[in-house]
Amino acid sequence: MSRTFADAKVHTPANLEEALDFLANHANEGWKPLAGGTDALVPIYRDGAEPTTPWLNLQKLRPELRFVRRTSNGFEIGALATISDLMANRDLCETYPIVRQCCQHFASPAIRHRATVAGNLANASPASDIAPVLLALEAEIESANHAGRRFVTLDAFWTGYKATVLAPDELIVSVRIPHRDLAANASMFRKVAPRASNSIALLNCAAIGTRDSAGTWTNVRIALGCMGPVPMRARKVESAVEDHRFDDTCREEAKALLQSTLRPITDYRATAEYRMLAATNLVSAFLDRTAGNWHS
Amino acid sequence: MTQADRNEPRRRNASKLFYGTEPFVDDLPAQGDWHGGTVRSRIAHGRLIRLKFSPEFDWSQVVVVTAADIPGKNLVVCHEEDQPSLCDGTIRHYGEPLALIAAPDGELLHKALRAVEPVVEPLPAVFDPFESLKGETRIFGKDNLFLEIPISKGHAAKQFASCDVVVETNHFTPAQEHAYLETQGMRATLEGNGVRIEGSMQCPYYLVAGVARLLGIPETDVRVSAMQTGGGFGGKEDFPTMLAGHAALLARKCGRPVRMIYSRSEDMAATTKRHPAWIRRKTGLSRAGQFLAMELDVVLDGGAYATLSPFVLSRAALHAVGPYRCDHVSICARAVATNHPPNGGFRGFGCPQVHFATETHIEACAEKLGVDPVELRRMNLMKPGDAMPFGQLLGPGTYPGVVLDEALHRSRFEERRAEIEAKNRTSERRTDSGDFEKRGIGLAMFMHGTGLNAYWEKSVRSRVRLAATAEGQVCVLTAQAEFGQGTLTALAKIAAESIGLADSDILIDHPDTALVPDSGPTVASRTVSIVGSLIHEAASRLRQHIEERAGLAAIYDPRRLKAAIASCVSGGDSMVFEAEYSPTDDTDDANTWAPPNAYPAYALGCCVAEVKIDTLTGEIGVVDVHMICDAGAVVCHRLATNQVFGGAVQGIGWALTEKLAWNESGGMRNASLSDYAIPSAADVPEIHAHFLDDQHSERYRYPIGLGELPMEGPGPAIANAVAMATGRRPRRLPISPEWIVCSQGPEES
């Protein structure tokens, strides 16, 4: 059956200011920002849900919000930058190889052309592919409403399953990656999924850190997806290995800490037991690495 | 690809398909068409009390059809007469059609469908075939058994006692979604006293019979035109009969053309799947490795209605032992009713299931005996003249051993196996190396009898027609549908070569039952084999006629032949030639499901697969696949190679990525292509296709059929490769990363 969605309610502001004013005036009407639409529109097309949500179509904000650039403080990713835009930024991808690895495993080329980085974060899915990488890089969200702007660390951005700190009148403006990991000599991104591309993750894991020639780790940050209601940092493990060699004692401690931190669920895609085991294996494998530059 | 570099005709309609100008059913111009949709059950089993139509909706804008509107018999015509076209009061599966609605546009249809609420009284449902056989919940007949096929040869039960070694294993293979590119779609138009059907299908004449019966009109008043169809894989064998009936009922009620195009999620939730199979296999061997006795139980979950289950079961039973010799065999094959949506035809048709069991079981036998599984196979493979359990002798020129040797040679199997063994030993978890990979290589033999089984092939009475034109060209008229496999190209080539005309002088189009005779369904790898041979036969008549009438010289070229045909036609000669399938052998008349000479020929194959396993996550990747096929003459190497690639990919999906999940009502839970993971291009390894076809043997004069064969090898070959990599034998598909790394995973089903 071919549908036209003629009844769908859509408003298309001309610029960011207009969009924020509109939201300020219609804050309680449930307007939902529409960027790439690669997740937001699926329930309507696929499951036949009524298009009752009114859409705030952000397409005309592209001139203002579609960019990826380096500043003196780090990298700035505009809210309408797509996953393809990230991959196309050589500076960013060479500085942080995990960004490119993650993008390469993100859905399919067609979806990468439409899906936005900010949309992926705002969607607040525990299975987001880009979230663990940006968590590991300690990214921040810059958001705005008609009154002004604020910053929130990505770690504090999600408040629960599919929920964020964003108020109904607020839009993401940019995602910022601080210059914190320029010295890192090891990083890893792994997405575990039923197939090699165009797949929903069973779990994913991003890690970055610096290991000296004696094998001592510093500035380790580890983030995981699908291991709880929101993508999460494994902070206890990070602290345990900081300034340590990853010896057998440290390995056992890290394992125990991971298992006390992570809260994976069992669904028809995978069991909690499997998710926990695979996540533990991946984190251990990362920390087991010998010295030297290693990005995989 | 060297075999494909021959001077072959281009795929018919290739440029139209490439440029998107070849119409599929939903591309037909909307001539006032209304859109049809289906109200479906959300429960697995129960009584439909009534349909509640919301008073909020203006029902005068649409038409509604229920079972009460059916002028003929409320039936989806198939083998058993058990499936109603629209719910007859008892709901037997999730997604069962309860009523139909047509509306002027899709948006209104969508609203109307959401404004109907079925009022139901649920009954206990049964989803496990073994539970179902206890008969506590009645779905079909007295015992929920669609069909039981016993096959027995020798005295298996007695023989086990004298065997040196007895090995018994249980296997499970899952349901599989066809995932054809184009979803099911049909358009019905009132025409004269009857109805015209256009749509996506494999078997146009099935729809003629089905729609006529449903509407209570003569078959001559039903005209069916198969459109270019975007994939079938058996999923458009039986189901389109139901959809055509639905579109016709709506068209009749609203008095205008109605098109019904399923969305992907509706298609996945409502249409048939590959039969899940539970197979127990017990083999007694001599110390030397000879198969002395075998016992096999095959149970298929048929779902709520019989559809094609008896036919799938028959093929499973007839192929259950694989290409191996054994004098004492006892097979019990059963298709059982459950409250799942009906399962139906799917490429391989029961063979992938039994070959998976056989080829993984043999490895377990070899392990028990401490012998090389390749040698164990070689020792027991059939040769021409050897008898199968149901009595058929393997035909001349049919050498499974040759196929095995070719596969070992082309894949360097033994060398590669030794290399992998050595590598796996040295890369035992070295924590600092980053090497968390294990590899494995495995192989599997498989075979596929061509066409419907002898009884049914005979009962179809396939006919083809060739008709010459005044220009000296020849039309090929068959009911064979084109759904991507290259039917039109292959049949035209057979005609061109048999007649002696240039390929461009053969005219062939999508079948329209107003124009073509019934040459049977486009299924069972029978198109080039059975129908191709009829074209060859009709072509010989045409040639003979021309040679007699036109006084052609003994040697002539295509141009002179064309001129001679043209002059015959202009001279008033009708120049229509038919051929009808008529097997000479009458011995199979009584035996519907296991006729002694079941198939005229068997295609053979061997698949070698190499896998890599990530020991951290258990992820399995297929890195290399060799497919050696012996399917008689290969009509078009390029198309045949594509069949092998496609079949191998579908086999890889079945083995590894495609995990069909059920909801609590027994319907498909992951009915979307994002949640049900068919392999992506990134999952597809290098596939090497090779055909045994260039030998000077009678076997390679005619095609045997290749449509299904390549689907049947990858499952067991991958399982055997995984067993080598992990040291544990998968007994169930799909093999999950979870099973690999979680030590508690079930080894036996």
Side-chain angles (χ1 to χ4, degrees):
Chain A
M1 147 186 26
S2 52
R3 297 183 54 200
T4 56
F5 304 101
D7 297 350
K9 206 164 142 192
V10 180
H11 177 70
T12 307
N15 53 46
L16 180 60
E17 195 187 338
E18 235 185 82
L20 295 174
D21 283 345
F22 181 87
L23 284 179
N25 295 327
H26 302 82
N28 297 318
E29 295 170 16
W31 289 84
K32 191 169 171 181
L34 184 68
T38 56
D39 194 80
L41 295 179
V42 169
I44 300 172
Y45 278 104
R46 188 180 80 186
D47 307 328
E50 285 298 339
T52 47
T53 308
W55 298 107
L56 186 69
N57 176 17
L58 303 180
Q59 306 312 311
K60 289 192 175 167
L61 278 59
R62 280 189 195 158
E64 288 167 273
L65 297 182
R66 186 174 178 184
F67 58 83
V68 181
R69 63 187 171 219
R70 184 194 272 263
T71 68
S72 53
N73 300 321
F75 287 94
E76 260 184 54
I77 301 160
L80 291 177
T82 64
I83 302 298
S84 297
D85 293 341
L86 277 198
M87 289 177 86
N89 191 299
R90 279 182 66 173
D91 185 12
L92 173 61
C93 290
E94 279 166 16
T95 309
Y96 301 121
I98 48 174
V99 171
R100 176 174 286 157
Q101 281 146 19
C102 168
C103 292
Q104 281 168 345
H105 289 93
F106 189 105
S108 63
I111 290 173
R112 296 200 287 260
H113 292 331
R114 284 205 63 84
T116 61
V117 176
N120 198 256
L121 299 176
N123 189 41
S125 161
S128 158
D129 288 330
I130 198 79
V133 167
L134 293 174
L135 269 179
L137 295 174
E138 299 213 296
E140 285 184 329
I141 301 281
E142 179 192 12
S143 63
N145 67 5
H146 70 291
R149 299 194 173 202
R150 65 165 170 157
F151 289 87
V152 54
T153 62
L154 193 52
D155 211 9
F157 179 67
W158 298 295
T159 53
Y161 179 73
K162 291 264 180 184
T164 72
V165 298
L166 290 176
D169 67 346
E170 206 173 4
L171 289 175
I172 296 178
V173 178
S174 75
V175 180
R176 300 189 174 198
I177 300 174
H179 279 323
R180 202 160 290 166
D181 295 294
L182 298 178
N185 62 6
S187 66
M188 174 183 85
F189 175 78
R190 281 293 304 269
K191 172 178 177 174
V192 181
R195 64 182 160 202
S197 80
N198 215 344
S199 211
I200 298 171
L202 301 178
L203 71 140
N204 49 30
C205 176
I208 192 162
T210 305
R211 185 170 169 163
D212 67 17
S213 52
T216 306
W217 282 102
T218 48
N219 294 319
V220 174
R221 282 188 305 281
I222 296 164
L224 297 123
C226 305
M227 300 304 288
V230 299
M232 58 169 78
R233 284 271 294 276
R235 285 185 188 276
K236 287 184 191 165
V237 178
E238 294 169 7
S239 323
V241 298
E242 190 71 17
D243 291 323
H244 279 75
R245 290 161 53 93
F246 197 63
D247 54 17
D248 287 346
T249 320
C250 191
R251 179 181 298 109
E252 288 314 308
E253 192 190 348
K255 254 187 202 174
L257 288 171
L258 264 183
Q259 284 170 4
S260 68
T261 308
L262 305 178
R263 292 277 174 274
I265 58 161
T266 292
D267 59 17
Y268 68 88
R269 293 195 181 98
T271 62
E273 182 205 2
Y274 170 74
R275 288 186 162 114
M276 185 67 92
L277 184 60
T280 311
N281 285 348
L282 288 173
V283 171
S284 298
F286 172 73
L287 293 168
D288 264 334
R289 294 292 310 197
T290 49
N293 275 309
W294 181 63
H295 301 283
S296 79
Chain B
M1 289 287 280
T2 48
Q3 285 189 314
D5 289 337
R6 301 181 189 177
N7 188 22
E8 290 188 345
R10 283 184 59 180
R11 179 189 278 267
R12 298 247 161 177
N13 298 344
S15 64
K16 283 165 88 184
L17 287 164
F18 182 81
Y19 288 109
T21 55
E22 173 79 39
F24 292 73
V25 60
D26 203 22
D27 299 325
L28 289 170
Q31 295 157 332
D33 288 25
W34 279 27
H35 298 256
T38 312
V39 179
R40 297 185 182 280
S41 78
R42 318 287 299 173
I43 60 165
H45 194 199
R47 271 182 262 286
L48 176 63
I49 310 296
R50 66 190 172 90
L51 294 167
K52 207 165 86 187
F53 293 90
S54 164
E56 312 280 298
F57 187 81
D58 175 6
W59 292 97
S60 71
Q61 310 168 87
V62 302
V63 299
V64 178
V65 163
T66 64
D69 293 296
I70 296 172
K73 193 164 164 65
N74 182 8
L75 179 70
V76 180
V77 173
C78 202
H79 175 65
E80 293 284 351
E81 303 208 330
D82 63 332
Q83 185 176 20
S85 178
L86 290 170
C87 180
D88 56 6
T90 303
I91 293 165
R92 295 181 185 85
H93 66 85
Y94 178 89
E96 182 153 7
L98 309 179
L100 306 166
I101 300 177
D105 66 74
E107 214 54 50
L108 193 63
L109 171 62
H110 185 72
K111 288 196 172 69
L113 287 168
R114 291 169 81 89
V116 189
E117 181 70 37
V119 180
V120 299
E121 185 188 308
L123 292 168
V126 59
F127 302 120
D128 176 282
F130 298 95
E131 275 299 308
S132 175
L133 282 172
K134 294 178 187 161
E136 284 159 22
T137 299
R138 189 82 84 75
I139 303 165
F140 178 87
K142 285 192 294 259
D143 49 10
N144 291 343
L145 192 60
F146 287 130
L147 182 65
E148 176 168 340
I149 303 175
I151 294 175
S152 173
K153 174 189 178 189
H155 308 281
K158 258 192 267 170
Q159 198 65 27
F160 280 112
S162 57
C163 295
D164 295 323
V165 170
V166 176
V167 178
E168 188 171 343
T169 53
N170 289 300
H171 310 261
F172 171 76
T173 64
Q176 185 180 23
E177 160 63 29
H178 301 89
Y180 26 65
L181 205 53
E182 180 203 22
T183 57
Q184 304 267 359
M186 211 60 77
R187 178 173 188 256
T189 314
L190 300 177
E191 207 174 71
N193 295 326
V195 63
R196 165 100 184 262
I197 301 289
E198 297 158 287
S200 184
M201 69 188 77
Q202 295 180 220
C203 314
Y205 272 97
Y206 283 5
L207 275 60
V208 171
V211 171
R213 193 92 185 272
L214 184 73
L215 297 188
I217 59 177
E219 293 192 359
T220 46
D221 285 342
V222 180
R223 176 180 175 186
V224 176
S225 312
M227 304 287 298
Q228 171 68 46
T229 291
F233 309 116
K236 291 173 184 169
E237 177 171 356
D238 56 320
F239 195 86
T241 306
M242 173 185 269
L243 189 56
H246 288 173
L249 288 170
L250 284 170
R252 190 180 153 273
K253 180 111 181 217
C254 72
R256 46 174 82 236
V258 168
R259 66 178 67 193
M260 298 187 74
I261 312 291
Y262 282 1
S263 70
R264 179 63 65 182
S265 52
E266 179 174 28
D267 191 297
M268 291 177 92
T271 69
T272 59
K273 305 281 171 279
R274 182 185 299 288
H275 288 78
W278 289 258
I279 300 169
R280 184 181 67 88
R281 231 180 175 290
K282 182 176 166 189
T283 300
L285 303 95
S286 69
R287 185 78 59 209
Q290 196 190 349
F291 294 157
L292 299 177
M294 283 186 187
E295 205 175 83
L296 297 99
D297 280 313
V298 178
V299 171
L300 300 183
D301 175 355
Y305 296 107
T307 70
L308 297 167
S309 291
F311 301 88
V312 174
L313 187 74
S314 164
R315 186 174 284 278
L318 295 169
H319 290 77
V321 167
Y324 302 99
R325 209 171 33 237
C326 186
D327 291 334
H328 301 276
V329 179
S330 167
I331 299 168
C332 174
R334 288 172 292 176
V336 180
T338 68
N339 290 114
H340 280 307
N343 294 309
F346 197 143
R347 192 182 208 170
F349 223 71
C351 280
Q353 291 95 319
V354 293
H355 291 324
F356 172 76
T358 300
E359 293 298 312
T360 53
H361 173 78
I362 283 180
E363 303 254 329
C365 293
E367 186 177 60
K368 185 90 178 266
L369 274 175
V371 301
D372 181 345
V374 174
E375 289 314 310
L376 186 65
R377 285 186 177 87
R378 201 195 305 278
M379 191 186 305
N380 290 286
L381 282 172
M382 284 193 290
K383 293 187 188 66
D386 283 342
M388 292 179 237
F390 48 94
Q392 184 166 18
L393 304 183
L394 199 64
T398 313
Y399 288 99
V402 172
V403 178
L404 174 63
D405 287 339
E406 188 72 25
L408 295 173
H409 166 69
R410 290 195 169 264
S411 64
R412 297 172 47 241
F413 181 83
E414 275 150 358
E415 271 172 85
R416 193 65 202 127
R417 185 168 62 176
E419 284 164 20
I420 290 170
E421 261 166 12
K423 198 224 157 226
N424 282 352
R425 269 197 303 274
T426 57
S427 70
E428 288 300 330
R429 193 181 158 129
R430 277 172 50 204
T431 55
D432 57 348
S433 67
D435 182 0
F436 300 103
E437 183 182 288
K438 285 216 173 178
R439 292 212 174 201
I441 189 168
L443 70 74
M445 299 291 300
F446 44 102
M447 67 192 290
H448 196 94
T450 194
L452 309 174
N453 84 33
Y455 176 89
W456 291 104
E457 194 61 65
K458 196 171 167 181
S459 71
V460 170
R461 301 217 160 277
S462 302
R463 279 186 304 129
V464 307
R465 189 181 300 143
L466 299 179
T469 71
E471 290 75 37
Q473 297 182 311
V474 173
C475 298
V476 177
L477 299 165
T478 80
Q480 269 26 74
E482 167 69 57
F483 38 94
Q485 79 284 47
T487 296
L488 302 183
T489 314
L491 293 185
K493 182 162 186 267
I494 289 172
E497 284 173 0
S498 305
I499 299 167
L501 281 176
D503 197 74
S504 53
D505 286 322
I506 302 296
L507 308 175
I508 188 166
D509 204 349
H510 300 296
D512 179 335
T513 58
L515 306 171
V516 301
D518 185 359
S519 53
T522 315
V523 303
S525 309
R526 66 187 291 282
T527 298
V528 294
S529 55
I530 307 288
V531 180
S533 72
L534 293 177
I535 290 174
H536 186 74
E537 199 182 315
S540 312
R541 287 192 191 134
L542 185 149
R543 264 181 90 128
Q544 201 185 347
H545 181 89
I546 291 287
E547 279 163 20
E548 284 167 7
R549 294 292 168 86
L552 272 176
I555 299 170
Y556 50 82
D557 64 14
R559 240 180 316 164
R560 289 171 67 179
L561 179 61
K562 185 179 175 184
I565 294 171
S567 82
C568 272
V569 175
S570 0
D573 223 336
S574 78
M575 292 293 284
V576 173
F577 300 88
E578 292 204 348
E580 182 174 319
Y581 187 77
S582 56
T584 46
D585 187 351
D586 284 337
T587 54
D588 298 314
D589 277 5
N591 203 327
T592 319
W593 303 114
N597 286 313
Y599 301 102
Y602 290 82
L604 302 169
C606 183
C607 174
V608 176
E610 183 174 330
V611 302
K612 60 173 184 191
I613 286 175
D614 185 316
T615 56
L616 298 174
T617 61
E619 288 168 289
I620 309 161
V622 182
V623 291
D624 198 38
V625 169
H626 285 265
M627 295 281 286
I628 311 304
C629 298
D630 174 359
V634 174
V635 181
C636 300
H637 272 92
R638 222 175 280 133
L639 293 177
T641 304
N642 288 346
Q643 282 287 357
V644 172
F645 290 169
V649 173
Q650 215 157 27
I652 290 169
W654 188 54
L656 296 178
T657 64
E658 300 182 31
K659 185 174 163 189
L660 201 146
W662 305 105
N663 63 26
E664 63 288 349
S665 301
M668 187 173 179
R669 176 175 177 169
N670 47 352
S672 82
L673 289 174
S674 60
D675 292 329
Y676 179 82
I678 60 171
S680 70
D683 297 283
V684 177
E686 181 103 2
I687 299 169
H688 313 268
H690 182 77
F691 302 97
L692 278 79
D693 76 331
D694 46 6
Q695 303 169 21
H696 303 287
S697 144
E698 178 73 12
R699 179 169 168 85
Y700 301 99
R701 283 188 56 198
Y702 300 104
I704 296 174
L706 187 69
E708 294 160 280
L709 189 73
M711 162 73 221
E712 300 172 9
I718 288 169
N720 290 336
V722 167
M724 178 185 173
T726 62
R728 294 161 70 220
R729 300 197 173 282
R731 301 276 191 241
R732 303 172 66 93
L733 296 181
I735 309 164
S736 66
E738 186 135 11
W739 181 81
I740 302 283
V741 293
C742 293
S743 52
Q744 306 307 316
E747 194 140 355
E748 296 275 341
S749 57

